[in-house]
Amino acid sequence: MNRHSRSRKALGIAVASALAVTVTGCGNREDAGRSGDAAEGAPSPGITDDSVTLGITTPLSGATAGPGTCTVAGVTAYFGMKNAEGGIEFGDGQTRTVEIEALDDTYDPQQAAANYDQLKDEVFAMTAGLGTPTNRAWRDAAIADEVPQVLIMTGDPLFSDTEESPWQLGFVPIYQNEGEAFGELLASSSGNHRVAILSQNDDFGAGYVEGFKSAIEGADNIEIVDELTYEATDTSVDAQITELANSDADVFFNAMSVTPLVISSLQKAQQLGWTPNWFLPSNTSSPTAILEPGGAAAFPGIYSVSFSKAPQSPAFAQDEDVQTYLAALPQYGNYPDPPAFPHCQWSWMVGATLEQVFMEMEEPTRDSFMEALRGIEGFEAPLMLPDTSVSTTEDGQPAVSTVVVQKYNGRGYDTVESFE
Amino acid sequence: MASSPKTSSPKTSASKTSASTTSAPTSSATTSSASSFRQRPWVRWGAPLLLVAGLAVLPLVMTEGANDTLARIGVFAVAVLGLNVVMGYTGQVSLGQIFFLGLGAYVTAYGVQSGWNIVLVFVLTCLIPAVAGLVVALAAARLGGLAIAMVTIALPIVGVPLAKRLSDFTGGSQGLSARFVEAPEGSGLYDDQWQLYLVLVIGGIVFLMTSLLVRGKYGRAFAIVKGNENVASSMGISPYRYKVLAFTIASLIGGVSGFLYMVVVQYTSPETMSFGHSIELLVAMVIGGAGSIVGSLLGGAFYVIVPDVTNAIDPSLTALLQGALLLAVLFVLPGGLVSLPRALMRRLRRSPAGRGSAAPPTTPSSTPGSGTAAEQSETERQGHA
């Protein structure tokens, strides 16, 4: 008993002394090299006269590792190729090589924030990372630290709002851009169409549906006959597909981001004998990973949107961009297989866009970098489809906001001008 | 966790006697001198003082990155501590601890965004998860055994879609940001230092109170409920009531860790409470050392540091490396990292006794088991004191 009360007393005194030390410790401010203290005009971290380092935090393990690995591979391959050619001449006259520092966040926001903390003093800018929550987790911190978080792979409109996100810019089209593109194509068709909608019950699905509806507003030939949602955590959407099949719609707008669910939806609709024209978002329309296992050939048309050339498509087999890209990916990007996700191509374009920015950037500072970044207009990055381009001057839009609608041809996609 | 007092207590006495009788006189001398050293008043008073003073100065001298890492370790150490109360000390399998962390984080984020007083937010962050835990436990503890595990699995699995659906409160899958911890004007502290102080003070208080709890009469009751529910009942200790109590406290501590999560990470989304993280917390608890206060700290450190380390080795192999590390630690130290000093001492003590060559085959199997047992006897002894 005596021991007990003693130890309690000891703890009480310990806490009191802790507070005392804390209070006295507050007085002296030590400069432990905190970020954001750099003098005006001095070079930012991560850049020297002969090299610049870029940081990426992205899922490299876990459920989203496939696309995540691609987001690193593309940009690494692009700059690997450029470095082998001797580097890039920056706007300030120096020629620099570009190094990539990538960390795995397993799609965990907490780990993404930790990775950012680790990288922010070593890298010049953060780029190319995949995921909405994982990028949001450190958005505020990046603004406070004035670290660029640019050309990232999320369709979340927040990152493209200059007012709210001064140090951010999304790369890929926001969800609304994609839904809208398909809606416009449908509205311009000559026939009458009955549309069934199945969307993911979150900002992803809502964004697509919002864009689609805004495009078909006022079009007399389009009627939405049924509209259902599902949860991203659902393991089956058979019930929804069955109900939608009863609506006998001839167009199915399927805003779904979960790969296995898209495959099972395609299969379920075939079992039910329902074969509508089908719309899929760009990130779940991969010919090899989704459409072939789903038996998509049974449908009259599978439509998706894109802004990048599909390297597997025979149409681009002789394309110079595609050949350079396919050669560089295994050689410099540590990605030996043919690219399974469009994120590889997108990431390659991020590399090309950053090169443009570097060439325009007049001082080796993050401020100068952001200024150059926001001045790109109509840049046709390699692997981009005709009629699409990188433009960063319009507020509220990501770097790529134009997409073209494409139709599945059994192996890859072809751009279509009208909906039959 | 695997060894209950029923099986461990004979082992304990056996290992104790073997330690004092069979080993060389030098070792018993060291043991007694070490314990008397620990008993000396100036050590009993000075050591914690030194520790606290060290912790108070640490944030001022460390780099920003080290401060951030330490703060995150604090967050997850608290979460693991909560899990330890219900699993390590009371023996009830809970797979839903991350849900309470997530709930606490959401309450904090919502409160901050609504502009509530931060003290009120903190109180709510404790109360709401505790009430949620109480409601779940009232039903689950009645079922007993593995049913609690099943019910707690449901928590994160229900929590994620719920967080996505209740987008008015949770911001849907885009999550909530709340940047509310800025070093007060005039303190001269950087934000990361201030954050670390908050984590150290709040986390320290939680650790202190929990260690008092598990060493006092409640701790004894938890241990008996863990050991044998029939014995507990016959002694007038209601296993049901103590299970509910332990679960509620674990939920409350989980809520506090959620508050600290917002202090450090400043963002929460449904991903925060995904089921995988719950399992990772469980792994961290077992690796750190089940039923141990220091083990909770080590568990938190494991949870935070291992992904960083594997990232440094090869970012494309993190999952594989983590799995390998987990197996390695559990193989060498089944009692968790907390049993490492004991295992080392044992090894050191044996080799001079001339059994060095014969020791290796027996050490891995005997050391860790007795490590846990000794750990438990420690708590029991302190409890009875």
Side-chain angles (χ1 to χ4, degrees):
Chain A
M1 198 58 228
N2 186 23
R3 241 181 85 198
H4 238 78
S5 62
R6 244 201 220 168
S7 75
R8 263 180 216 166
K9 253 187 225 163
L11 287 166
I13 289 174
V15 169
S17 68
L19 289 174
V21 175
T22 312
V23 170
T24 51
C26 287
N28 63 329
R29 184 187 176 118
E30 286 168 67
D31 201 345
R34 296 300 189 271
S35 60
D37 292 351
E40 202 70 24
S44 297
I47 191 163
T48 64
D49 280 350
D50 50 13
S51 80
V52 59
T53 309
L54 301 173
I56 302 176
T57 169
T58 203
L60 297 174
S61 64
T64 32
T69 308
C70 258
T71 58
V72 176
V75 69
T76 311
Y78 189 83
F79 285 121
M81 184 182 75
K82 289 287 161 187
N83 291 347
E85 291 169 7
I88 293 164
E89 191 180 340
F90 279 50
D92 64 352
Q94 303 281 356
T95 299
R96 296 183 173 93
T97 56
V98 183
E99 311 299 331
I100 305 283
E101 183 107 9
L103 294 180
D104 178 17
D105 62 31
T106 69
Y107 211 73
D108 176 9
Q110 181 266 131
Q111 188 61 41
N115 289 347
Y116 163 74
D117 282 337
Q118 200 183 328
L119 289 172
K120 66 182 174 189
D121 293 327
E122 295 168 31
V123 303
F124 180 68
M126 298 290 291
T127 187
L130 172 79
T132 301
T134 45
N135 272 303
R136 277 200 178 222
W138 49 279
R139 190 187 70 99
D140 283 329
I143 294 170
D145 300 333
E146 304 192 339
V147 175
Q149 178 185 15
V150 295
L151 307 181
I152 48 175
M153 309 283 182
T154 166
D156 184 348
L158 177 71
F159 292 95
S160 303
D161 184 329
T162 320
E163 191 85 354
E164 293 249 9
S165 306
W167 290 87
Q168 280 77 11
L169 184 64
F171 183 73
V172 294
I174 55 178
Y175 312 132
Q176 285 83 349
N177 295 146
E178 294 201 0
E180 198 176 351
F182 184 69
E184 276 166 8
L185 185 82
L186 203 59
S188 70
S189 81
S190 49
N192 290 325
H193 296 289
R194 294 157 55 81
V195 183
I197 297 178
L198 176 61
S199 61
Q200 194 162 303
N201 187 19
D202 59 15
D203 58 298
F204 174 88
Y208 273 92
V209 174
E210 184 193 321
F212 178 73
K213 284 184 175 169
S214 75
I216 60 164
E217 205 179 332
D220 302 331
N221 58 337
I222 310 297
E223 184 195 356
I224 295 175
V225 290
D226 205 350
E227 187 175 352
L228 295 176
T229 60
Y230 73 96
E231 298 303 320
T233 45
D234 287 353
T235 51
S236 164
V237 289
D238 286 0
Q240 284 94 325
I241 297 289
T242 309
E243 189 179 334
L244 291 172
N246 282 332
S247 72
D248 204 27
D250 67 327
V251 176
F252 181 32
F253 187 83
N254 188 10
M256 195 175 256
S257 74
V258 186
T259 302
L261 282 185
V262 179
I263 296 172
S264 73
S265 304
L266 288 163
Q267 291 167 342
K268 182 69 185 173
Q270 286 170 60
Q271 282 173 16
L272 295 167
W274 182 43
T275 52
N277 283 296
W278 200 303
F279 171 80
L280 285 172
S282 59
N283 61 347
T284 46
S285 56
S286 159
T288 48
I290 291 177
L291 298 187
E292 275 173 24
F299 298 93
I302 302 276
Y303 292 84
S304 186
V305 293
S306 179
F307 58 92
S308 69
K309 294 171 183 168
Q312 286 91 345
S313 166
F316 299 116
Q318 301 304 316
D319 189 286
E320 203 178 312
D321 284 355
V322 170
Q323 285 176 342
T324 318
Y325 163 71
L326 287 179
L329 205 56
Q331 193 180 348
Y332 302 110
N334 190 23
Y335 198 92
D337 311 314
F341 299 90
H343 302 77
C344 280
Q345 287 90 279
W346 301 346
S347 176
W348 177 267
M349 293 178 204
V350 166
T353 309
L354 285 171
E355 185 190 11
Q356 292 296 308
V357 178
F358 289 149
M359 292 193 303
E360 293 299 316
M361 189 174 113
E362 283 165 5
E363 286 168 20
T365 62
R366 287 168 173 169
D367 283 306
S368 176
F369 171 81
M370 285 308 288
E371 201 184 313
L373 178 81
R374 296 210 188 275
I376 293 180
E377 189 143 14
F379 169 60
E380 283 182 33
L383 296 181
M384 281 197 118
L385 288 167
D387 299 330
T388 62
S389 64
V390 176
S391 287
T392 57
T393 48
E394 197 181 340
D395 185 21
Q397 294 290 348
V400 178
S401 60
T402 47
V403 287
V404 294
V405 181
Q406 296 196 305
K407 187 177 179 182
Y408 180 57
N409 62 12
R411 279 193 69 186
Y413 283 95
D414 296 323
T415 303
V416 290
E417 299 296 329
S418 61
F419 184 89
E420 302 102 40
Chain B
M1 183 189 64
S3 60
S4 66
K6 236 201 301 182
T7 58
S8 73
S9 45
K11 238 201 248 168
T12 312
S13 54
S15 72
K16 288 234 148 183
T17 44
S18 76
S20 53
T21 54
T22 59
S23 54
T26 46
S27 72
S28 61
T30 24
T31 328
S32 61
S33 75
S35 60
S36 72
F37 177 76
R38 261 184 252 153
Q39 305 269 312
R40 276 189 208 160
W42 64 270
V43 177
R44 292 193 56 81
W45 290 65
L49 263 177
L50 212 63
L51 181 75
V52 166
L55 283 177
V57 176
L58 215 54
L60 298 174
V61 295
M62 287 197 308
T63 62
E64 187 181 1
N67 278 349
D68 285 335
T69 307
L70 206 61
R72 286 191 299 125
I73 289 176
V75 172
F76 290 101
V78 171
V80 171
L81 180 72
L83 192 58
N84 244 328
V85 169
V86 69
M87 269 185 90
Y89 288 104
T90 319
Q92 306 303 309
V93 181
S94 168
L95 302 172
Q97 183 69 2
I98 200 75
F99 172 81
F100 297 105
L101 187 155
L103 186 59
Y106 270 119
V107 171
T108 310
Y110 185 76
V112 167
Q113 290 219 327
S114 314
W116 298 345
N117 182 299
I118 195 67
V119 177
L120 173 72
V121 170
F122 180 72
V123 170
L124 285 176
T125 310
C126 298
L127 280 183
I128 293 177
V131 170
L134 178 68
V135 170
V136 172
L138 282 175
R142 210 171 273 281
L143 300 166
L146 285 175
I148 293 191
M150 294 301 109
V151 172
T152 52
I153 282 184
L155 289 174
I157 291 175
V158 172
V160 172
L162 208 61
K164 287 187 175 171
R165 247 172 229 238
L166 298 173
S167 51
D168 291 344
F169 296 101
T170 63
S173 59
Q174 295 180 321
L176 283 179
S177 272
R179 207 173 161 80
F180 63 104
V181 193
E182 272 163 14
E185 289 287 322
S187 70
L189 289 173
Y190 289 100
D191 285 354
D192 58 285
Q193 294 170 338
W194 178 247
Q195 284 168 16
L196 182 53
Y197 276 127
L198 276 179
V199 171
L200 285 178
V201 170
I202 296 175
I205 291 171
V206 173
F207 264 86
L208 199 63
M209 285 168 60
T210 309
S211 73
L212 292 177
L213 178 91
V214 297
R215 286 180 208 292
K217 75 168 189 182
Y218 290 103
R220 286 199 296 280
F222 288 158
I224 295 167
V225 170
K226 179 185 179 182
N228 189 327
E229 292 190 15
N230 293 330
V231 170
S233 306
S234 72
M235 292 171 72
I237 292 168
S238 158
Y240 174 69
R241 226 178 261 175
Y242 278 94
K243 279 190 224 168
V244 171
L245 180 69
F247 199 85
T248 307
I249 292 170
S251 313
L252 189 150
I253 296 175
V256 174
S257 73
F259 180 85
L260 296 177
Y261 183 94
M262 287 309 290
V263 166
V264 176
V265 181
Q266 308 181 333
Y267 171 83
T268 182
S269 76
E271 293 297 323
T272 303
M273 51 165 107
S274 78
F275 181 59
H277 299 323
S278 222
I279 299 299
E280 284 166 26
L281 276 183
L282 180 63
V283 167
M285 186 197 82
V286 174
I287 292 268
S292 159
I293 297 289
V294 179
S296 306
L297 269 176
L298 295 173
F302 182 86
Y303 187 99
V304 170
I305 291 174
V306 164
D308 290 352
V309 169
T310 52
N311 248 329
I313 299 172
D314 185 346
S316 54
L317 291 177
T318 47
L320 189 74
L321 290 170
Q322 284 172 30
L325 196 65
L326 171 67
L327 285 177
V329 172
L330 285 184
F331 185 73
V332 179
L333 293 170
L337 291 174
V338 77
S339 65
L340 180 67
R342 230 172 248 112
L344 284 179
M345 286 292 275
R346 221 165 278 267
R347 197 172 269 255
L348 279 176
R349 241 181 261 159
R350 276 189 193 178
S351 35
R355 292 193 288 162
S357 54
T362 57
T363 331
S365 55
S366 68
T367 308
S370 45
T372 353
E375 177 63 29
Q376 266 168 350
S377 79
E378 177 88 355
T379 8
E380 279 165 31
R381 192 162 51 82
Q382 298 246 8
H384 288 297

